[in-house]
């Protein structure tokens, strides 16, 4: 049994600095997610008892985000007690993995309506606080040549010849595009304001963007991973890539993704669900793909995953109107465009995580709302979403307008 997985809505919170002085630090992660579920119910007069499952990505599922945070979000939102919830973690791919899995549930016919998204309160649950063998098992880390992702990004820049000027120029354009999109209202239809317990607004729009950025200011920032490289991580990389003389450390806080708080939610369902609930489809999930490449430099798989996704869908690069690659680091986006021979004019047209920030478990599903809104705004048809992922994985998803 196979049926189309329709996208009935895709929403997100605004993104804000994931530190104690960030606008969303006062908001618990379950409330970030619950606010979106309440918004879905209100926007569609949704009978929540019809929803089969809520899938939420979360990369640091401990403390306030621990256990099964998705089910807690369902309960916090006051949805029907019949609605299930599951937390999943595929590192930075978690939000898009939730979307792909949700679409698979609908396509299989096993379920009729799901919510897929993610949540990450990086100000309240710091990145890496969930531990794991890579950070906690020295023997395993040495055996598998684990290096920080930033070292991997610098290695990609070295291998591909991306200079500090190249990555800074890319970062500046991300800031310019994101600032223009926010100030022009391009995100407004999908961004749900975060409110406090009394209903007073805490944050309406993304406030992490730095429109005042300049090339001179970016150039003045120190490389973030040079000192780590000198502690032996560069040597681990050079053991494999022994044709390199050295790693050129070009990534800084200015050309890498920002640490932020945020949540996302995508309402995915069958045609029958739409009929039963009076929902109008905005789009559909066409195909998804996951694969892995070099686990040492870790960040080279988005391009190959996009090609796999195209193959699954029976499409080619020319069939895609717009592209989104998560800007974990500038070199990742530059590598993606080079791998697929993409024009920057159709890639990350409204900026990306360098400017907006990367709330780890939520970002992938956030890209769905960004892409769907922009396809509608430009009257285009089909988009590709991709992210690099820890452990050398890459994930992609093709969506199109209904």
């Amino acid at each position: 049994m196979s049926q189309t997985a329709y996208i009935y809505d895709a929403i997100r919170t605004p993104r804000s600095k994931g530190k104690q002085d960030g606008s969303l630090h006062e908001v618990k992660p379950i409330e970030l997610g619950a606010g979106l579920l309440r918004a879905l119910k209100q926007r569609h007069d949704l009978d929540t008892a019809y929803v089969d499952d809520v899938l939420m990505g979360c990369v640091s599922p401990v403390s306030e985000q621990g256990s099964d945070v998705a089910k807690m979000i369902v309960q916090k939102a006051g949805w029907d007690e019949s609605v299930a919830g599951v937390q999943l973690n595929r590192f930075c791919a978690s939000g898009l993995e939730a979307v792909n899995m949700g679409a698979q549930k609908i396509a299989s016919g096993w379920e009729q309506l799901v919510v897929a998204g993610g949540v990450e309160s990086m100000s309240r649950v710091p990145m890496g606080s969930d531990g794991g063998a890579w950070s906690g098992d020295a023997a395993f880390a040495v055996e598998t040549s684990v290096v920080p992702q930033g070292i991997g990004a610098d290695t990609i820049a070295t291998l591909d010849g991306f200079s500090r000027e190249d990555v800074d120029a890319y970062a500046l354009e991300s800031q310019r595009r994101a600032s223009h999109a926010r100030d022009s209202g391009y995100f407004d239809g999908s961004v749900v304001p975060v409110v406090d317990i009394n209903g007073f607004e805490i944050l309406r729009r993304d406030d992490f963007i730095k429109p005042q950025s300049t090339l001179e200011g970016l150039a003045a920032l120190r490389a973030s991973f040079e000192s780590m490289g000198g502690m032996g991580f560069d040597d681990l990389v050079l053991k494999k890539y022994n044709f390199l003389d050295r790693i050129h450390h070009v990534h800084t806080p200015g050309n890498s993704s920002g640490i932020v708080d945020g949540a996302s939610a995508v309402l995915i369902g069958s045609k029958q669900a739409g009929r039963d609930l009076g929902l109008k489809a905005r789009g559909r999930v066409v195909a998804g793909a996951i694969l892995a490449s070099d686990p040492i430099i870790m960040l080279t798989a988005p391009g190959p995953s996009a090609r796999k996704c195209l193959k699954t869908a029976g499409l080619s690069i020319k069939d895609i109107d717009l592209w989104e690659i998560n800007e974990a680091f500038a070199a990742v986006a530059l590598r993606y465009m080079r791998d697929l021979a993409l024009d920057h004019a159709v890639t990350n047209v409204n900026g990306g995580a360098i400017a907006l920030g990367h709330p780890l478990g939520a970002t992938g599903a956030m890209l769905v709302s960004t892409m769907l809104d922009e396809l509608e705004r430009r009257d285009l048809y089909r988009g590709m979403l991709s992210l690099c992922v820890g452990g050398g994985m890459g994930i992609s998803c093709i969506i199109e307008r209904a």
Side-chain angles (χ1 to χ4, degrees), residues 286 310 313 315-316 318-323 371 375 380-384 398-401:
V286 178
L310 288 168
L315 299 170
S316 67
K318 64 180 175 60
D319 294 315
I320 305 298
D321 297 308
L322 294 176
W323 302 75
M371 177 63 78
L375 288 173
L380 296 174
Y381 183 56
R382 189 180 287 124
M384 174 79 80
I398 297 171
I399 67 170
E400 60 188 26
R401 290 172 62 192

Side-chain angles (χ1 to χ4, degrees), residues 164-236:
R164 174 66 183 269
E165 290 74 20
D166 292 332
V167 292
D168 280 350
Y170 181 89
L172 185 65
E173 181 63 7
S174 180
Q175 294 285 354
R176 187 195 70 78
R177 293 182 181 193
S179 179
H180 174 74
R182 178 192 62 184
D183 296 346
S184 299
Y186 296 172
F187 302 142
D188 289 355
S190 294
V191 174
V192 174
V194 178
V195 299
D196 65 16
I197 59 174
N198 297 310
F200 293 109
E201 189 174 289
I202 296 173
L203 185 65
R204 173 169 291 272
R205 284 183 159 188
D206 302 294
D207 69 358
F208 187 77
I209 304 169
K210 300 175 178 60
Q212 73 280 7
S213 298
T214 63
L215 278 178
E216 293 75 20
L218 292 171
L221 297 173
R222 296 181 61 182
S224 298
F225 306 100
E226 189 166 15
S227 60
M228 290 184 184
M231 296 167 58
F233 289 117
D234 282 3
D235 291 337
L236 289 175

Side-chain angles (χ1 to χ4, degrees), residues 332-384:
V332 171
L334 292 170
R335 173 67 173 262
Y336 183 77
M337 289 190 289
R338 177 175 290 184
D339 279 351
L340 300 168
L342 303 179
D343 192 324
H344 197 186
V346 294
T347 308
N348 289 20
V349 295
N350 289 327
I354 288 173
L356 291 156
H358 175 24
L360 305 178
T363 303
M366 284 183 167
L367 297 185
V368 176
S369 64
T370 299
M371 177 63 78
L372 198 52
D373 285 348
E374 194 62 18
L375 288 173
E376 292 172 347
R377 193 181 74 81
R378 296 185 180 217
D379 194 22
L380 296 174
Y381 183 56
R382 189 180 287 124
M384 174 79 80

Side-chain angles (χ1 to χ4, degrees), residues 85-305:
V86 62
Q87 175 269 327
L88 56 91
N89 182 4
R90 198 191 284 278
F91 302 133
C92 296
S94 299
L96 193 57
E97 179 69 10
V99 171
N100 286 351
M101 288 180 65
Q104 290 167 353
K105 282 171 170 277
I106 301 304
S108 71
W110 283 25
E111 294 177 1
Q112 299 302 313
L113 190 65
V114 302
V115 175
V119 62
E120 207 79 40
S121 178
M122 300 182 76
S123 69
R124 299 174 71 97
V125 185
M127 179 171 55
S129 56
D130 55 326
W134 281 338
S135 60
D137 185 338
F140 176 76
V142 171
E143 176 188 347
T144 55
S145 297
V146 172
V147 301
Q149 284 195 344
I151 302 287
D154 287 340
T155 303
I156 292 170
T158 304
L159 289 167
D160 287 6
F162 301 136
S163 67
R164 174 66 183 269
E165 290 74 20
D166 292 332
V167 292
D168 280 350
Y170 181 89
L172 185 65
E173 181 63 7
S174 180
Q175 294 285 354
R176 187 195 70 78
R177 293 182 181 193
S179 179
H180 174 74
R182 178 192 62 184
D183 296 346
S184 299
Y186 296 172
F187 302 142
D188 289 355
S190 294
V191 174
V192 174
V194 178
V195 299
D196 65 16
I197 59 174
N198 297 310
F200 293 109
E201 189 174 289
I202 296 173
L203 185 65
R204 173 169 291 272
R205 284 183 159 188
D206 302 294
D207 69 358
F208 187 77
I209 304 169
K210 300 175 178 60
Q212 73 280 7
S213 298
T214 63
L215 278 178
E216 293 75 20
L218 292 171
L221 297 173
R222 296 181 61 182
S224 298
F225 306 100
E226 189 166 15
S227 60
M228 290 184 184
M231 296 167 58
F233 289 117
D234 282 3
D235 291 337
L236 289 175
V237 173
L238 293 172
K239 188 181 297 183
K240 178 172 183 176
Y241 295 91
N242 53 21
F243 53 87
L244 295 175
D245 294 328
R246 57 186 288 264
I247 305 300
H248 297 280
H249 294 284
V250 298
H251 286 94
T252 71
N255 54 43
S256 307
S257 57
I259 293 172
V260 294
D261 298 337
S264 54
V266 182
L267 185 64
I268 305 171
S270 64
K271 179 179 287 189
Q272 188 61 51
R275 289 172 177 164
D276 291 346
L277 298 173
L279 301 171
K280 182 180 179 181
R282 296 178 60 197
R284 53 185 156 255
V285 179
V286 178
I290 189 78
L291 53 69
S293 61
D294 179 4
I296 298 176
I297 60 174
M298 202 179 300
L299 307 171
T300 57
S305 77

